Amino acid sequence: MADEKLTSRSENYSEWYNQVVLRADMADYAPVRGCMVVKPYGWALWENMQKELDRRFKETGHVNAAFPLLIPKSFFEKEKEHVEGFAPELAVVTIGGGQELEEPLVVRPTSETVIGYMYSKWIKSYRDLPVLINQWANVVRWEMRTRLFLRTLEFYWQEGHTAHSSDEEAQEETIRMLDVYADFAINEAAVPVIRGIKSESEKFAGAVNTYSIEAMMGDTKALQAGTSHNLGQNFAKAFDIKYLDQNNTLQYCWTTSWGLSTRFIGAIIMTHGDDNGLILPPRLAPFQIVIVPIYKNDEERSAVMEAVDNVQKQLKDFRVKLDDRTEVTPGYKYHEWELRGVPLRLEIGPKDVEKGSVMAARRDIPGKPGKSFLLQENLAPQVQELLDTIQAAMLKRATEFRDANIHPANSYDELKEIIQNGWAESWWCGSSECERKIKEETKATTRCIPLDQEKGGHGKCVYCQSDASQKVYFSKAY
RNA sequence: CGGGGUGUAGCGCAGUUGGUAGCGCACCGCGUUUGGGACGCGGGGGCCCGCGGUUCGAGUCCGCGCACCCCGACCA
């Protein structure tokens, strides 16, 4: 599997990315163009992500359900912007059981429509609100160009869909879930993200407002890592989601939707990976620790394996992989597990048996500087501390990298220069026209208008020089 | 959908003027190895992407398809 040197990131970043995904055994290409198989190692990472997200959803009052894969095509015509946004990338089923269907069925690209339909049946009274449902699902979007995890025809995600009795409550929910995503990204994945609001042209088809968390990848391009939409009453009106309020007046609901997908795996890979391969954050890594036993003969073997056994017992509350293969050498194993991003490696050999130690090697600090001896005695707390240190160091490094590559652009010339290798932070008048021109001329798009900027500021639009009251990030993006 | 590239063993590739397919890695067996990608010996594995041509003979030459990858436009 892992036999030759990886293409370096500076040599060819996308080649590096593809090789890492394939050789780390995260995923493989499927027989259909643009589709992927998520292999057990990749799926284990996704499961850990799901667990952390799901916990947060439940803590904020949401419940899970499952809605159907097939949606009547006519549903997509009910909300004007939604149909315009999604029509080009729908997969449509026209034959079922050998018969031409009376109405074609769309394989869901997202579930606002069918969930809206169901909500209209379920919601009658203000007492039914809010409805706070999430589903874990796969969706299909017929994309032109695909890349493993980042953009595949089919992908896995969660989509939350909520209905509320007021605009304020829907807006609170939208921000609440954006914050959940940011908390997950920063504290579980060690991916520093910026919370912001999307421009008109970048927002979700059919939303009033779209918020996103934006992350910077290792090549300084931006990746939208999660989104939260305030749908206002657009879908409620399209799908007739109404309730009677306390005054017996019929009202349309206010709805939201929010999603985070397997794309985020791509964010983790490109935020942390180095020229030796993946570096996975300890809190999400399928294996937090890999143990490599080392011995020369049977005598050493039995002594070493006894120590390994003892270590394994002490670390039973961690996700541990014992690599006891005899057909490959320790050196081979080091390279392989580094490629696969295991945060901490424990080497146990004759010297350790003698000294009651284990050699610990940090994945985030390659080579000698990342190595240290731990005592076999009372090992668990030492390992926990190391993993915490690694997690924190990863977040710190990624944050510093991001901040070092965001620069204020005071002029259009500066912006053009900055976006060659970073994000430009600049004043923007808010007009789609300036945005479009910049995109045409530089390939950079607005990523988001960051929520964390001082209110009441003002400057001149980086493109048209007219008055601007907000700052925005421009960059190339995935 | 435009531009570029590639289809030969699981993977990466070679294959001369057209003569009936090979190398490295991986895999299997045996032995020696094992603290940063070990080695020796012996094995198994092929509708050369598909369909038509040309030819005594096609992996090779000529059409026409198809698929995948990369770069753009579109998008989470």
Side-chain angles (χ1 to χ4, degrees), chain A residues 18 48 104 146 318 379 426 450:
Chain A
N18 285 334
N48 290 337
T146 57
F318 296 87
L379 185 62
S426 44

Side-chain angles (χ1 to χ4, degrees), chain A residues 269-471:
Chain A
I269 296 170
M270 289 194 288
T271 297
H272 300 303
D274 67 11
D275 286 347
N276 296 321
L278 277 178
I279 303 178
L280 295 175
R283 295 185 61 91
L284 296 177
F287 301 124
Q288 297 170 300
I289 299 154
V290 60
I291 299 175
V292 178
I294 297 154
Y295 47 80
K296 286 190 173 58
N297 50 48
D298 281 352
E299 193 187 332
E300 283 184 1
R301 181 178 183 279
S302 59
V304 164
M305 291 317 282
E306 195 181 317
V308 166
D309 204 47
N310 165 37
V311 164
Q312 254 189 313
K313 282 197 181 108
Q314 291 194 61
L315 301 181
K316 64 182 184 331
D317 293 333
F318 296 87
R319 298 187 290 274
V320 178
K321 170 73 181 176
L322 168 63
D323 190 349
D324 56 0
R325 288 176 295 176
T326 53
E327 65 271 24
V328 288
T329 59
Y332 183 93
K333 294 176 185 178
Y334 300 167
H335 285 272
E336 178 169 319
W337 292 111
E338 279 166 9
L339 173 63
R340 301 185 75 182
V342 175
L344 188 63
R345 181 179 74 237
L346 299 181
E347 306 167 16
I348 302 176
K351 291 179 213 162
D352 300 292
V353 170
E354 197 181 309
K355 293 191 291 186
S357 63
V358 301
M359 171 69 95
R362 287 174 61 167
R363 175 60 183 91
D364 63 319
I365 304 178
K368 277 233 173 81
K371 289 193 174 189
S372 60
F373 278 106
L374 303 180
L375 293 175
Q376 280 177 40
E377 196 181 311
N378 202 25
L379 185 62
Q382 303 174 68
V383 163
Q384 183 62 61
E385 195 187 335
L386 248 182
L387 290 176
D388 290 345
T389 304
I390 294 169
Q391 180 86 24
M394 288 174 68
L395 177 61
K396 181 163 181 281
R397 181 162 75 175
T399 306
E400 285 170 357
F401 177 82
R402 179 197 68 190
D403 292 344
N405 287 291
I406 298 179
H407 306 285
N410 298 310
S411 70
Y412 190 41
D413 281 342
E414 275 184 29
L415 182 144
K416 284 191 231 174
E417 179 65 29
I418 291 164
I419 57 108
Q420 294 310 313
N421 194 29
W423 296 7
E425 183 182 10
S426 44
W427 293 102
W428 174 48
C429 65
S431 94
S432 300
E433 188 58 16
C434 290
E435 192 184 3
R436 194 177 58 79
K437 288 262 178 61
I438 291 173
K439 184 178 176 180
E440 275 175 19
E441 294 165 22
T442 70
K443 306 252 165 71
T445 52
T446 61
R447 297 325 304 154
C448 69
I449 301 151
L451 297 184
D452 301 316
Q453 62 178 299
E454 65 269 41
K455 297 277 175 290
H458 65 273
K460 299 287 183 197
C461 175
V462 71
Y463 192 81
C464 71
Q465 296 296 313
S466 60
D467 285 339
S469 59
Q470 61 194 352
K471 283 184 180 171

Side-chain angles (χ1 to χ4, degrees), chain A residues 45-325:
Chain A
L45 174 61
W46 179 237
E47 282 180 340
N48 290 337
M49 294 166 65
Q50 285 182 303
K51 201 164 68 188
E52 289 303 329
L53 285 165
D54 205 61
R55 179 168 66 77
R56 287 168 169 78
F57 299 157
K58 304 274 170 64
E59 280 170 6
T60 45
H62 302 84
V63 290
N64 286 336
F67 291 85
L69 174 71
L70 298 174
I71 301 175
K73 189 154 180 283
S74 58
F75 280 27
F76 282 84
E77 279 135 31
K78 291 187 178 183
E79 212 286 334
K80 190 170 157 291
E81 288 181 20
H82 198 60
V83 63
E84 282 170 10
F86 280 101
E89 53 188 48
L90 295 181
V92 184
V93 178
T94 57
I95 295 173
Q99 300 284 312
E100 179 105 3
L101 298 175
E102 249 174 65
E103 180 179 357
L105 301 173
V106 168
V107 181
R108 65 182 165 212
T110 179
S111 303
E112 278 76 7
T113 56
V114 65
I115 291 177
Y117 172 85
M118 296 312 297
Y119 281 8
S120 76
K121 294 172 70 170
W122 296 344
I123 296 167
K124 296 298 166 202
S125 150
Y126 70 92
R127 293 195 176 92
D128 297 327
L129 296 172
V131 174
L132 306 171
I133 294 179
N134 173 65
Q135 83 165 340
W136 291 94
N138 55 341
V139 289
V140 168
R141 299 180 186 178
W142 216 265
E143 301 289 351
M144 295 294 185
R145 262 199 72 209
T146 57
R147 299 197 57 191
L148 294 166
F149 287 118
L150 297 176
R151 182 168 297 106
T152 43
L153 292 200
E154 179 187 17
F155 60 91
Y156 300 85
W157 74 346
Q158 56 69 217
E159 46 179 329
H161 296 270
T162 69
H164 306 266
S165 55
S166 74
D167 191 11
E168 294 72 36
E169 202 182 298
Q171 177 63 19
E172 276 171 28
E173 169 76 3
T174 306
I175 298 298
R176 180 180 303 120
M177 300 323 286
L178 183 74
D179 288 345
V180 161
Y181 287 154
D183 177 60
F184 164 80
I186 294 166
N187 295 313
E188 303 295 343
V191 172
V193 292
I194 289 173
R195 302 172 314 136
I197 185 165
K198 286 290 198 182
S199 71
E200 266 309 290
S201 63
E202 293 281 332
K203 78 177 191 194
F204 177 73
V208 171
N209 274 316
T210 288
Y211 296 82
S212 72
I213 50 172
E214 299 285 330
M216 184 186 284
M217 302 297 98
D219 60 355
T220 75
K221 281 166 80 174
L223 183 82
Q224 181 174 316
T227 49
S228 187
H229 315 292
N230 183 339
L231 304 175
Q233 292 181 311
N234 292 351
F235 283 86
K237 285 177 178 165
F239 288 91
D240 215 33
I241 311 171
K242 289 185 289 199
Y243 69 98
L244 275 176
D245 69 12
Q246 285 97 322
N247 305 316
N248 203 36
T249 308
L250 208 52
Q251 305 274 8
Y252 283 110
C253 286
W254 306 81
T255 67
T256 80
S257 69
W258 26 276
L260 186 146
S261 75
T262 39
R263 181 180 226 211
F264 200 98
I265 292 174
I268 291 173
I269 296 170
M270 289 194 288
T271 297
H272 300 303
D274 67 11
D275 286 347
N276 296 321
L278 277 178
I279 303 178
L280 295 175
R283 295 185 61 91
L284 296 177
F287 301 124
Q288 297 170 300
I289 299 154
V290 60
I291 299 175
V292 178
I294 297 154
Y295 47 80
K296 286 190 173 58
N297 50 48
D298 281 352
E299 193 187 332
E300 283 184 1
R301 181 178 183 279
S302 59
V304 164
M305 291 317 282
E306 195 181 317
V308 166
D309 204 47
N310 165 37
V311 164
Q312 254 189 313
K313 282 197 181 108
Q314 291 194 61
L315 301 181
K316 64 182 184 331
D317 293 333
F318 296 87
R319 298 187 290 274
V320 178
K321 170 73 181 176
L322 168 63
D323 190 349
D324 56 0
R325 288 176 295 176

